[in-house]
Amino acid sequence: MFMYPRSEKDSSRLGVTLVEIMVASAIIAFIGGIVGHWFFIQRQYQSRIFAISDAQQTIRQSSWSMMQELRTARSVLLPRINPDKSIRTDSKVVFKSFSGDVICYYYVASEKEIRRCVIPNGPGAPVIDSDPIARNIDNIAFTASDDGNRLIDIFMEVNGTFGLESVYLMNE
């Protein structure tokens, strides 16, 4: 087999040139930039998902405690269906519990909290619970939705996430 003889120029070239190093560095930097940007976007997406999840958890926990007590209520005093049979919405719900106490869940907009107050059936002063039912609630509305005032809708907003629960009173 015939081989071309090597020239002296070819034998002296053992390393890489500066241009080759710069091109390789630019390619690596470009790929690194794409990967870094992708990780940054994924981190932002993950933060949004966690914020939504936390808001949904706040809504679930606060509505759960109110729903349990509302289910066993005797009657809802406020909000009530309007005389013209249209629905009525309010930032508080007042109802009579099965034991005869009057219970009120109300929204304090300045503190973004839902609070609970109990007016005992018999002697005694009204008692406001020391801990709020929920914190960081942007908006809440209680709506009476049927003629018998037995269906109450609870609408809540937390950080742009919305929740709607309906409670039907089971006792008469």
Side-chain angles (χ1 to χ4, degrees), residues 31-43:
I31 292 171
I34 290 173
V35 170
H37 180 70
W38 181 81
F39 278 115
F40 177 73
I41 295 295
Q42 291 302 313
R43 182 72 175 152

Side-chain angles (χ1 to χ4, degrees), residues 9-25:
K9 283 184 176 181
D10 288 341
S11 65
S12 66
R13 184 170 181 235
L14 298 175
V16 292
T17 64
L18 181 60
V19 172
E20 292 171 332
I21 291 174
M22 290 179 66
V23 168
S25 297

Side-chain angles (χ1 to χ4, degrees), residues 18-168:
L18 181 60
V19 172
E20 292 171 332
I21 291 174
M22 290 179 66
V23 168
S25 297
I27 291 171
I28 290 172
F30 180 73
I31 292 171
I34 290 173
V35 170
H37 180 70
W38 181 81
F39 278 115
F40 177 73
I41 295 295
Q42 291 302 313
R43 182 72 175 152
Q44 285 181 327
Y45 177 72
Q46 183 182 29
S47 295
R48 282 195 312 264
I49 294 298
F50 283 149
I52 291 169
S53 177
D54 289 344
Q56 289 172 338
Q57 185 67 17
T58 299
I59 290 169
R60 274 192 299 271
Q61 285 177 340
S62 57
S63 64
W64 175 258
S65 61
M66 289 185 289
M67 286 171 48
Q68 293 306 308
E69 200 164 27
L70 269 166
R71 258 191 203 112
T72 60
R74 283 190 191 171
S75 62
V76 174
L77 306 173
L78 186 73
R80 298 200 62 82
I81 293 290
N82 291 321
D84 64 351
K85 304 287 188 207
S86 62
I87 62 173
R88 167 122 187 245
T89 298
D90 204 333
S91 63
K92 63 183 162 274
V93 62
V94 181
F95 58 95
K96 198 167 208 176
S97 71
F98 191 68
S99 63
D101 297 336
V102 175
I103 298 173
C104 176
Y105 287 106
Y106 60 98
Y107 179 62
V108 181
S110 61
E111 297 176 17
K112 297 178 119 181
E113 294 178 339
I114 301 171
R115 294 221 163 248
R116 179 179 179 267
C117 177
V118 178
I119 302 169
N121 182 16
V127 178
I128 297 175
D129 290 355
S130 58
D131 290 330
I133 298 297
R135 290 186 169 99
N136 300 321
I137 305 293
D138 295 328
N139 191 10
I140 188 164
F142 299 97
T143 305
S145 319
D146 73 336
D147 288 336
N149 216 45
R150 304 194 53 72
L151 183 64
I152 301 295
D153 298 325
I154 305 170
F155 168 79
M156 277 189 263
E157 178 184 356
V158 177
N159 295 332
T161 302
F162 303 95
L164 177 63
E165 299 286 345
S166 293
V167 181
Y168 186 78

